[in-house]
Amino acid sequence: MAEQPASVAVSTVIFGIQDHGGTAKVHLPLVRRVREPHLGRWALPGGPLRPDESLRDAARRNLADTTGLDAAHLEQLYTFGAVDRGAPDRVVSIVYWALVRTEVAATTRDDPNVAWFPVDALPPLAFDHEEIVGWAVRRLKNKLGYTQISHALLPEEFTLGQLREVHEAILGRRLDPANFRRRAEASGTLTPTGAHQAGARNRPPALYRSTVREELLT
Amino acid sequence: MAEQPASVAVSTVIFGIQDHGGTAKVHLPLVRRVREPHLGRWALPGGPLRPDESLRDAARRNLADTTGLDAAHLEQLYTFGAVDRGAPDRVVSIVYWALVRTEVAATTRDDPNVAWFPVDALPPLAFDHEEIVGWAVRRLKNKLGYTQISHALLPEEFTLGQLREVHEAILGRRLDPANFRRRAEASGTLTPTGAHQAGARNRPPALYRSTVREELLT
DNA sequence: ACAAAAGTGTTACCCTTACACCCATGC
DNA sequence: GCATGGGTGTAAGGGTAACACTTTTGT
């Protein structure tokens, strides 16, 4: 333990898909601050790094502490360490971003100081957290293009229509179903379960299971 | 100032192109450690973050202190903070990576404890610095593909042949000169100066100047 | 029958790659 | 003239985007 010019914190931007007026939208959970500074404002889950935990473990702990959830994907985003970030003492924040599956996100532990917001309609945030969320959203959009990261937002089994909805929610535009299907199939990361999803008032779509390895998403 | 479980350091991976047996190769400067632990080993330039400097400023200071050089490109790479990274106390290292221009790299201040090494023939490094260099090299290769970052390794004016040599050095394979030229021209980031480089025993190549904005390289 | 989404087929277009070929200079 | 890299032309192949069309369900 040494006297330091800056303390180390870890925060996490958590993304999940939720229904918002009939269409899937990207949401994220925020925590209402119960201390100064920025008391009462919404902020990203986070807190000081503990001496015996890795950065990644700290991020996972943020997730568990605030939502009780488990991440399907977790990855370092960026480190923010400007001299004045809105706190009285200097804090260097290592920020992670996480993806949780839809059905998991729905089971968020009840807490009056935790709530999910659509990323395109966030309340004013504490510190420099709006900038941080901006970085995370950009990264999410980018990674969508060259990895199969979107699978981590869906349940174990899903239809190509659901997968496409996720992409449309993140990119903010409609995608051609035919071309999307071919792309998805060509990725070689989907295996049909053989089952079909009944119930809709149209042709029952095939169910798929993702076969991507977490290690390949870097 | 608070009692902390971890101290904050900033290190920088600096890349420059140098001639190595007739062909251009990617090099980086290392510093010989003059203190325990890992006394005598080569390490990345770096040191503790000062209270009144930004992370980026600290990285720039690493560069100036060890080589006396100025970076044409400087960007955050990743933050390494495992519990045991080879130092007695816990250190969280925010690592930056930098590109310096060839003619600048040649003017490195003389210092027996600083030397440039080809990235494909590094000595054993201190701490987890080999892993860090690996990350930086990967990032450099990637960014080469979708930005004009390579311009930052060359002088203000350069030929397409030189630019191609840089790419070949980084990718480790030969590129088709014809296709490389078209790609470079199509990027819209090069303006011919009108001058040609005389002296070679072949047709004098046209000189170009880069018009990329540093902000667009993210 | 009809609507609505699943799923297949087809075509135009662009970008990349490979490679043939000409140009200008030093020796 | 000849070697050497600079610079232009061209054609094949692969991937993407646009869109027509068929299939299968619920109502």
Side-chain angles (χ1 to χ4, degrees), chain B residues 133-156:
Chain B
V133 171
W135 276 70
V137 169
R138 195 142 45 95
R139 183 87 131 245
L140 175 59
K141 282 188 189 176
N142 279 340
K143 280 230 152 171
L144 200 62
Y146 63 95
T147 67
Q148 313 310 126
I149 210 156
S150 51
H151 299 180
L153 287 163
L154 288 167
E156 292 296 334

Side-chain angles (χ1 to χ4, degrees), chain A residues 134-156:
Chain A
W135 276 70
V137 169
R138 194 143 43 96
R139 183 87 131 245
L140 174 60
K141 281 187 188 176
N142 279 340
K143 280 232 152 170
L144 200 63
Y146 63 96
T147 68
Q148 312 310 128
I149 209 155
S150 51
H151 300 180
L153 286 163
L154 288 167
E156 293 296 334

Side-chain angles (χ1 to χ4, degrees), chain B:
Chain B
M1 308 275 184
E3 196 79 4
Q4 292 302 327
S7 60
V8 180
V10 175
S11 297
T12 309
V13 183
I14 303 159
F15 291 117
I17 299 291
Q18 293 193 353
D19 212 81
H20 189 258
T23 52
K25 283 217 162 192
V26 184
H27 283 63
L28 54 82
L30 297 172
V31 180
R32 204 198 308 268
R33 285 187 60 79
V34 294
R35 273 203 295 269
E36 290 291 359
H38 295 280
L39 188 145
R41 281 221 166 183
W42 294 98
L44 293 171
L49 174 68
R50 294 182 184 168
D52 56 349
E53 70 185 351
S54 70
L55 301 175
R56 188 183 172 85
D57 285 347
R60 214 191 319 267
R61 186 168 52 78
N62 288 338
L63 194 55
D65 286 356
T66 57
T67 62
L69 301 181
D70 195 28
H73 180 74
L74 181 63
E75 180 184 328
Q76 192 180 302
L77 174 66
Y78 199 76
T79 297
F80 298 82
V83 176
D84 183 5
R85 294 180 56 232
D89 292 328
R90 183 167 186 188
V91 179
V92 171
S93 286
I94 298 126
V95 180
Y96 277 71
W97 64 291
L99 300 180
V100 296
R101 304 192 184 279
T102 40
E103 86 282 16
V104 172
T107 66
T108 308
R109 175 159 28 74
D110 242 16
D111 184 329
N113 289 322
V114 175
W116 287 77
F117 296 88
V119 288
D120 54 6
L122 294 179
L125 302 187
F127 308 110
D128 53 358
H129 288 188
E130 306 193 351
E131 184 194 351
I132 294 177
V133 171
W135 276 70
V137 169
R138 195 142 45 95
R139 183 87 131 245
L140 175 59
K141 282 188 189 176
N142 279 340
K143 280 230 152 171
L144 200 62
Y146 63 95
T147 67
Q148 313 310 126
I149 210 156
S150 51
H151 299 180
L153 287 163
L154 288 167
E156 292 296 334
E157 296 192 3
F158 53 86
T159 70
L160 288 183
Q162 292 175 309
L163 184 60
R164 182 166 46 80
E165 278 173 32
V166 168
H167 281 243
E168 289 175 341
I170 293 171
L171 296 175
R173 63 186 169 93
R174 313 284 289 174
L175 298 171
D176 184 309
N179 295 330
F180 184 84
R181 159 180 302 274
R182 268 185 291 260
R183 241 172 173 294
E185 283 170 346
S187 78
T189 56
L190 292 174
T191 38
T193 65
H196 290 252
Q197 193 183 65
R201 68 190 170 298
N202 49 28
R203 176 171 173 178
L207 285 166
Y208 292 84
R209 186 182 295 275
S210 173
T211 58
V212 276
R213 305 215 157 277
E214 166 77 9
E215 311 85 67
L216 300 179
L217 296 178
T218 312

Side-chain angles (χ1 to χ4, degrees), chain A residues 59 83 167 171 211 215:
Chain A
V83 176
H167 281 243
L171 296 175
T211 59
E215 311 84 69

Side-chain angles (χ1 to χ4, degrees), chain A residues 164 178 181-182 202-203 205-206:
Chain A
R164 181 166 46 81
R181 159 181 301 273
R182 267 184 292 261
N202 49 26
R203 179 171 171 178

Side-chain angles (χ1 to χ4, degrees), chain A residues 72-93:
Chain A
H73 180 73
L74 181 63
E75 181 186 326
Q76 192 180 303
L77 174 66
Y78 198 77
T79 296
F80 298 81
V83 176
D84 183 7
R85 294 180 56 233
D89 293 326
R90 183 166 185 189
V91 180
V92 171
S93 285

